[in-house]
Amino acid sequence: FTLFDDDLHSTGTLAPGKHRLIHFNATPGNKSCVITISGEGAIEKNAPAKAYRLVVPALQNKPRQVSINGKKAAGVTYDKRSGTLTIPVKIGNLASATIIEIAK
């Protein structure tokens, strides 16, 4: 999945330096699923990190642990009825990837 991200205020956000593309790649495994968030482009004036909610549907059970860049993720919720996991994540500098691991 690729997310088009801009400053939410300017017009002409298709121009270089006015937007960035954030790529989400999931790699499922036997014991965990790893989601890598990376991207390209930039927003002028180095917009601050934005807070997002990553919603992972159709999980049969609550994960043992969720980590972001090797640290336990805060504010993670799991809805047993819908099997939906919600992970708050801030995405700032795309020069380094953000790694989310969902341990089964």
Side-chain angles (χ1 to χ4, degrees), residues 31-98:
K31 295 183 179 184
S32 67
C33 177
V34 176
I35 300 170
T36 304
I37 303 171
S38 60
E40 58 192 275
I43 299 173
E44 283 182 355
K45 300 178 187 171
N46 292 328
K50 290 184 181 179
Y52 295 92
R53 288 180 300 134
L54 181 62
V55 179
V56 181
L59 294 177
Q60 294 177 352
N61 299 304
K62 181 179 180 179
R64 283 186 304 108
Q65 182 174 327
V66 177
S67 63
I68 300 175
N69 294 330
K71 297 179 182 177
K72 184 177 179 181
V76 174
T77 59
Y78 175 74
D79 183 330
K80 185 177 182 177
R81 188 173 356 158
S82 66
T84 303
L85 180 69
T86 303
I87 307 166
V89 60
K90 284 193 175 191
I91 301 173
N93 183 356
L94 294 174
S96 59
T98 299

